[in-house]
Amino acid sequence: MDKVISFDQVSGALVCQSGCILESLNQYLEGQGYIMPLDLGAKGSCHIGGNLATNAGGLRLLRYGSLRGTVLGLEAVLPDGSVLNCLNSLRKDNTGYDLKQLFIGSEGTLGVITAVSILCPRKPRSANVALLGCESFSKVLQVFTLCRDHLGEILSAYEFQDLESMRVVQTHLKLTNPLQDSAFYILIETAGSCEHHDEEKLNAFLEKALESGLVTSGTVATDRGKIKSLWALRECITEALAHDGYVYKYDLSIPVEKLYDLVEETRARLGTTARRVVGYGHLGDGNLHLNITSETKSESLLAALEPFVYEWTAQHNGSISAEHGLGFKKRDHIYYSKSREAVQLMQKLKKMLDPKGIMNPYKTIPSAD
């Protein structure tokens, strides 16, 4: 189940089996002058079928959008053993319901995705990465606005991390931070078709950011090696936290102006009972990864976190699962983000397609009352 079925050099439509590794697909496409619209820290091990089933977000969502927009079609095996073939590669198909959307983000509860057709963008000829230091989260937000104004169509990623998350990759993975200590760090990636044009736009943005006092320090990478080392500071946070102790993980969507408030309130709430509280994520998408570590798993610490984190997120009109899905642990917390009417309709769809409950049972959707 790991074969490329076809690739259209003109349209950029890739058709492949669901067992293909994301990084392998990207390497295949680079040889054709294209790239995958999806990029994840786990790209070396994750499968494209699983990416669809969880509606994975990742690092390129700001530029290329979510899988709900880039997936053109799919094939899935239904619970009764029949094969649903919606594997077309058309940009436009307005005939009836868009059934592929039922399976994207369904976490395997409605069927098993076996093949996918996905629209791939051209490989950028020019790539630059800037790592910037900021003194406050409000300045991180102001830099984001400035960034969109000056970089526009070449902006492909806008990531942020706090000082604690920078320290954890330095401590446990011995990675080097090229900047002085700052309360926050921003990683900006540009990708375009003209090196001179892109560098000119990036330099104008950086000059404005420094002159305005929004940024205290920064460094720019243009060669592949340095770009990779700067990205490692952001991508390796999860790995580094695993060395810090037991990790409590929350993947949340929150309005950007409130994004870091939850980290600060959680840090104040837990005090010394937690070893470390860190906040990082895809600011361009309003996606916060709130991670807390302790020496060992603590039921009292968990009780201080839940339902506090979920209630706070719901009160601020957020989502308790931005890109990681609900799975088994969070399925009964779905009501913090979805109305009872919405959940009841999901349960009806599940019952209709999978009356015996054999597809990934006990996950994602609560049992009907």
Side-chain angles (χ1 to χ4, degrees):
M1 298 291 290
D2 60 353
K3 300 290 188 289
V4 172
I5 299 169
S6 66
F7 178 67
D8 190 315
Q9 277 279 1
V10 177
S11 68
L14 171 74
V15 181
C16 66
Q17 294 177 321
S18 61
C20 291
I21 300 293
L22 179 59
E23 189 172 40
S24 299
L25 289 175
N26 204 62
Q27 290 169 351
Y28 167 82
L29 287 168
E30 283 185 343
Q32 312 288 327
Y34 285 80
I35 59 170
M36 289 293 287
L38 175 70
D39 186 23
L40 304 171
K43 54 183 169 282
S45 58
C46 64
H47 300 90
I48 190 63
N51 296 152
L52 265 66
T54 56
N55 190 27
L59 307 168
R60 291 176 179 164
L61 191 141
L62 177 63
R63 176 68 175 272
Y64 301 117
S66 75
L67 287 172
R68 293 197 181 277
T70 55
V71 171
L72 301 172
L74 56 77
E75 176 188 83
V77 177
L78 301 181
D80 64 2
S82 62
V83 177
L84 176 68
N85 187 349
C86 293
L87 199 61
N88 69 57
S89 296
L90 302 174
R91 294 288 298 274
K92 290 183 175 181
D93 179 10
N94 213 15
T95 52
Y97 301 131
D98 190 5
L99 295 177
K100 68 178 182 288
Q101 299 295 349
L102 280 177
F103 298 89
I104 299 172
S106 67
E107 301 185 51
T109 58
L110 300 179
V112 178
I113 297 170
T114 52
V116 57
S117 173
I118 188 166
L119 187 65
C120 303
R122 291 289 292 177
K123 179 183 177 181
R125 295 179 183 175
S126 168
N128 301 285
V129 169
L131 182 68
L132 310 175
C134 280
E135 294 175 347
S136 67
F137 189 71
S138 65
K139 290 186 177 180
V140 171
L141 296 177
Q142 291 176 67
V143 173
F144 182 45
T145 300
L146 186 70
C147 188
R148 287 185 295 173
D149 287 343
H150 283 73
L151 299 180
E153 78 287 352
I154 65 170
L155 178 62
S156 60
Y158 191 94
E159 303 287 305
F160 92 98
Q161 63 190 93
D162 59 14
L163 179 57
E164 277 298 305
S165 56
M166 179 64 80
R167 283 176 173 165
V168 79
V169 295
Q170 291 176 280
T171 300
H172 296 296
L173 303 181
K174 308 305 179 186
L175 299 185
T176 301
N177 175 12
L179 306 182
Q180 64 192 43
D181 276 358
S182 298
F184 296 93
Y185 297 90
I186 304 165
L187 189 145
I188 296 168
E189 182 184 75
T190 65
S193 59
C194 178
E195 184 176 343
H196 175 72
H197 168 265
D198 295 356
E199 287 186 6
E200 194 174 69
K201 294 191 77 166
L202 181 59
N203 289 335
F205 156 72
L206 292 172
E207 185 178 338
K208 184 70 174 177
L210 288 165
E211 282 180 358
S212 62
L214 295 176
V215 171
T216 55
S217 58
T219 184
V220 176
T222 55
D223 67 88
R224 198 176 187 92
K226 190 176 179 185
I227 286 175
K228 189 175 181 179
S229 67
L230 291 184
W231 264 115
L233 293 168
R234 164 63 184 86
E235 287 188 303
C236 293
I237 296 172
T238 301
E239 179 186 349
L241 285 168
H243 295 282
D244 205 53
Y246 186 85
V247 188
Y248 308 81
K249 299 182 179 183
Y250 299 94
D251 162 51
L252 311 162
S253 276
I254 299 172
V256 289
E257 69 276 6
K258 296 287 186 180
L259 198 72
Y260 201 72
D261 290 357
L262 176 58
V263 182
E264 294 176 330
E265 291 189 32
T266 302
R267 196 171 281 149
R269 179 182 177 85
L270 300 182
T272 58
T273 61
R275 172 174 287 175
R276 200 185 302 262
V277 177
V278 307
Y280 63 97
H282 320 293
L283 189 130
D285 316 330
N287 185 183
L288 170 70
H289 296 304
L290 171 66
N291 286 190
I292 300 95
T293 64
S294 60
E295 186 174 348
T296 57
K297 184 177 180 180
S298 166
E299 292 301 325
S300 61
L301 184 56
L302 182 61
L305 287 167
E306 298 177 16
F308 166 73
V309 170
Y310 301 135
E311 289 176 347
W312 193 100
T313 302
Q315 288 166 7
H316 293 84
N317 301 309
S319 169
I320 65 165
S321 176
E323 60 181 3
H324 292 169
L326 294 169
F328 175 75
K329 290 184 176 181
K330 296 181 181 179
R331 70 165 196 161
D332 292 324
H333 299 314
I334 192 174
Y335 297 104
Y336 287 108
S337 299
K338 290 289 186 289
S339 67
R340 292 202 169 269
E341 292 77 13
V343 175
Q344 285 170 2
L345 183 55
M346 294 180 201
Q347 290 167 336
K348 289 176 182 177
L349 287 169
K350 169 71 171 172
K351 184 69 174 177
M352 179 184 70
L353 290 174
D354 184 18
K356 295 181 179 179
I358 61 173
M359 290 304 223
N360 223 4
Y362 319 117
K363 296 185 177 69
T364 308
I365 307 299
S367 301
D369 296 330

